[in-house]
Amino acid sequence: MSTWIAAGAVIALLIAVAFVFLFRKLASPGRRADLNPDRPSDFSLEKYRPMERLFSQQDYEFLSSQPGFSPKLVRRLRAERRRIFRRYLQCLSRDFDRLYAATKLLLLHAPEDRPDLALTLLRQRMTFRYALATVHLRLALQTLGLGTVDVRGLVGAVEALRDQLRALSAQPAALPVYER
Amino acid sequence: MLGLSLSAANIIEAQGLLRLVSSACFAALAVKLWRQDLRKGYPFFFWYVTFRLLRAIVLLPFPTNRTIYGYLFIPTELVLWVFYVLVVLELYRLVLRDFKGIATLGRWVVLGALSLSVLLSLLSLAPDLSSRQAYPILQAVFVMGRAICSSLAIFLLLITAFLVFYPVPLSRNVIVHTVVYAVYFLSLTMTYFVRNVAGPDVVLPLNIVLQAVTVLTLLAWIVLLSPAGEQVVISVRPRWAPEEEQRLVRNLDSINAALLRAARK
C-alpha cells in the first residue's frame, strides 16, 4: 500500500513540476516575443558564410604542403572547426525557430481554417529536428575519422530565410487591446 | 486513548469549520462572478460554483459519517464530475474560438489530448481497483472520481503544452483558471488515490487537506479573477498574401533540404 502511495506521490510530483515548467513558459518574455515576433537585429547572412568552408579539403591540402605539418595539427584544427560548426548550427536553429514562430503566427491569424498549413509546419519542424540531429551525428562520426559534413547550399537557404525575415519585419505590428 | 479521541474530535471540528469557510467562499465567488459580469464569459463555471454552493448548503447540517450524507453525496458527486469536464472544455473553447486558422488543429489537439489523458488515467487505475473495501458502491464512486480527475489533470497538462508551443494570446483570467484547475485536479486526484489505496481510515485527514485546498483555490479565484483580466493583448497584422505564406514554407523547406543534404553526404 505504502509503495503505491509513494509511487503515486512521485508521479503527481512529476506532473506538478511539468505544470510549473509550462506555466513559467506561458509567462515568459520569450512567449511574448513569439506573440509579436521582432526581427532579430543581429541577423546577418555574413555570419553563416564561413560555414561552407569549415570542412573544405583545400585548407587541409594547403596545410599539408607547409613545413612543420603534422597529423596532430590537422586533428586539432578539425576539432576546433567542429566546435565552431556546432555554434553555427545553434545560430541556424535559433533563426529557424524565429521564422517558424512567424509562420505559426501567420497560421494563428489566418482568416480561414488551415489544417494543411498546420500539418506542413509540423512536418517542417520534425524534418528540421531530424536533419539537425543527423548533422550532429555526422560531426560525431567525423571525430572518429568517419565521413565528413557538406554544407554547400545551406548558406543559400539561410539567405532566403534572411530575406523572408526582412520582408516580415517591414510589416507594421500594432498592439491594440482586444477585449472579449 | 484520550489523546487519540481528542485529536479525532479536533479533526472533525476543523473539518466542520473548513466546510463552513468553503461554503462562504463559494458564495463570495458566485456573487463576484454575477456582479462583475464574469458569468457570461464562463457560464459553466458560474453554474458549477452555484451548484457547489447549493450542495455545500444542503450537506452542511449532516455529519460526513451519516448514511443520509452518503445518499446526498453520491448523486451530487456524479453531477460534479460532469461540471468538471464542462468547465475545463469551456476554458479551451474560449481560448481557441477566435482563431479560425487553427480551428481544425485545435479540435485535433483537444480530441487527441482527451483520448490520451483518458487512456493514461485508465491504465493507472490498477492500484485503486486492487484494494478491497467495506462499501463497494463508495469504492466504485471514488475509483471513477479518480479516473475523471486524473484524466482532467493530464488533459490540462497536454493542452497547456500546446498553448506554450502555439503562441495563442491568453487573457490573465484564462491563465488564472488554468493554474487553479491544475492545482485543484491534481490535489483531487491524489486525494482520491490515497483514499482508494489506503481505505476509509484516512478519510478524515484527507478531507481536511482537500477542504483546505478547495478554500485556497476559491480564494485564488476570488482575488485574481477580474473584468480587466479578460483583456487579451494581440498583435494585429495585415492579412498576408498566399505568396507570402508559400515563400515562408519554401524557405523552411530549403533550410531543411540543405540540412538533410549535409546529413546524408
Side-chain angles (χ1 to χ4, degrees):
Chain A
M1 179 184 83
S2 54
T3 316
W4 281 125
I5 291 175
V10 169
I11 293 169
L13 190 68
L14 288 176
I15 294 176
V17 169
F19 267 120
V20 170
F21 173 77
L22 290 174
F23 290 144
R24 283 174 65 105
K25 281 259 182 190
L26 269 188
S28 74
R31 187 174 187 275
R32 282 198 286 276
D34 262 4
L35 293 172
N36 181 30
D38 247 350
R39 300 290 74 77
S41 55
D42 61 338
F43 187 88
S44 157
L45 180 65
E46 292 312 305
K47 75 181 175 192
Y48 290 107
R49 268 296 171 222
M51 244 181 136
E52 285 185 314
R53 292 201 52 216
L54 276 177
F55 298 116
S56 155
Q57 206 51 40
Q58 284 175 339
D59 288 1
Y60 299 102
E61 281 162 11
F62 171 76
L63 201 64
S64 63
S65 67
Q66 298 302 303
F69 162 81
S70 74
K72 194 179 164 189
L73 191 70
V74 171
R75 276 200 302 275
R76 224 172 62 199
L77 185 65
R78 278 191 200 279
E80 183 64 18
R81 289 189 166 190
R82 273 194 300 275
R83 193 181 60 77
I84 297 167
F85 191 82
R86 286 194 180 100
R87 289 268 177 88
Y88 277 119
L89 286 180
Q90 278 175 6
C91 285
L92 184 67
S93 188
R94 258 203 312 273
D95 285 333
F96 181 92
D97 286 344
R98 285 169 180 166
L99 184 63
Y100 190 77
T103 321
K104 276 195 294 189
L105 205 65
L106 176 76
L107 171 64
L108 200 63
H109 296 287
E112 72 263 4
D113 194 8
R114 295 297 309 275
D116 54 326
L117 185 58
L119 268 181
T120 304
L121 279 181
L122 187 68
R123 267 200 298 270
Q124 296 271 15
R125 189 169 185 87
M126 286 166 72
T127 307
F128 183 75
R129 291 296 160 207
Y130 164 76
L132 204 61
T134 315
V135 169
H136 277 294
L137 180 69
R138 289 198 77 87
L139 283 173
L141 287 174
Q142 199 201 42
T143 314
L144 304 170
L146 303 169
T148 187
V149 183
D150 186 343
V151 290
R152 279 172 299 173
L154 190 56
V155 173
V158 175
E159 191 169 20
L161 166 69
R162 191 268 317 263
D163 290 346
Q164 195 62 56
L165 288 171
R166 278 196 181 149
L168 290 175
S169 67
Q171 300 191 11
L175 278 171
V177 171
Y178 166 79
E179 199 167 351
R180 289 195 192 285
Chain B
M1 185 72 179
L2 182 67
L4 209 80
S5 58
L6 265 181
S7 75
N10 286 346
I11 288 176
I12 290 168
E13 204 173 297
Q15 194 187 10
L17 186 69
L18 279 170
R19 282 172 69 186
L20 264 177
V21 173
S22 69
S23 305
C25 288
F26 274 119
L29 182 58
V31 170
K32 178 179 176 136
L33 292 172
W34 181 272
R35 289 187 63 175
Q36 296 192 341
D37 240 9
L38 289 166
R39 70 183 190 284
K40 286 178 186 159
Y42 308 91
F44 285 128
F45 180 65
F46 174 72
W47 287 113
Y48 158 73
V49 173
T50 310
F51 179 76
R52 286 290 307 251
L53 173 63
L54 293 175
R55 185 197 198 214
I57 291 169
V58 170
L59 289 176
L60 208 53
F62 306 106
T64 52
N65 54 356
R66 294 291 165 85
T67 313
I68 180 78
Y69 184 90
Y71 283 136
L72 291 168
F73 174 84
I74 293 175
T76 50
E77 189 74 358
L78 305 186
V79 178
L80 263 191
W81 296 341
V82 176
F83 269 119
Y84 288 156
V85 176
L86 289 176
V87 293
V88 170
L89 291 181
E90 172 180 73
L91 188 65
Y92 293 106
R93 189 185 56 81
L94 281 175
V95 168
L96 299 173
R97 74 168 176 196
D98 293 323
F99 300 98
K100 291 185 187 133
I102 55 166
T104 301
L105 177 69
R107 274 198 301 275
W108 289 344
V109 169
V110 169
L111 201 67
L114 259 181
S115 312
L116 185 63
S117 54
V118 170
L119 182 73
L120 289 175
S121 175
L122 291 177
L123 286 175
S124 71
L125 283 182
D128 302 68
L129 293 167
S130 63
S131 69
R132 288 279 160 263
Q133 291 175 21
Y135 303 102
I137 293 177
L138 259 186
Q139 189 186 1
V141 168
F142 287 130
V143 169
M144 280 174 69
R146 217 282 272 167
I148 288 166
C149 290
S150 52
S151 297
L152 288 172
I154 299 168
F155 174 77
L156 278 168
L157 187 74
L158 296 173
I159 292 287
T160 310
F162 171 72
L163 294 179
V164 167
F165 185 70
Y166 259 87
V168 180
L170 302 174
S171 69
R172 203 174 74 105
N173 284 351
V174 165
I175 296 176
V176 168
H177 271 302
T178 311
V179 174
V180 176
Y181 285 151
V183 171
Y184 187 66
F185 287 121
L186 212 51
S187 310
L188 209 53
T189 300
M190 268 318 278
T191 312
Y192 273 129
F193 178 70
V194 176
R195 161 70 182 73
N196 292 340
V197 175
D201 297 343
V202 292
V203 164
L204 272 183
L206 278 182
N207 277 347
I208 295 279
V209 173
L210 190 59
Q211 291 278 4
V213 171
T214 306
V215 168
L216 287 177
T217 53
L218 287 168
L219 287 175
W221 270 317
I222 291 167
V223 173
L224 299 173
L225 288 183
S226 66
E230 282 299 290
Q231 291 175 341
V232 185
V233 177
I234 58 167
S235 55
V236 171
R237 286 171 185 280
R239 191 176 292 183
W240 291 347
E243 311 86 65
E244 186 83 36
E245 175 195 311
Q246 281 162 15
R247 276 184 63 196
L248 268 165
V249 174
R250 261 205 313 275
N251 286 340
L252 290 170
D253 269 337
S254 59
I255 291 172
N256 277 334
L259 257 186
L260 284 170
R261 267 201 307 278
R264 283 190 199 118
K265 288 267 165 108

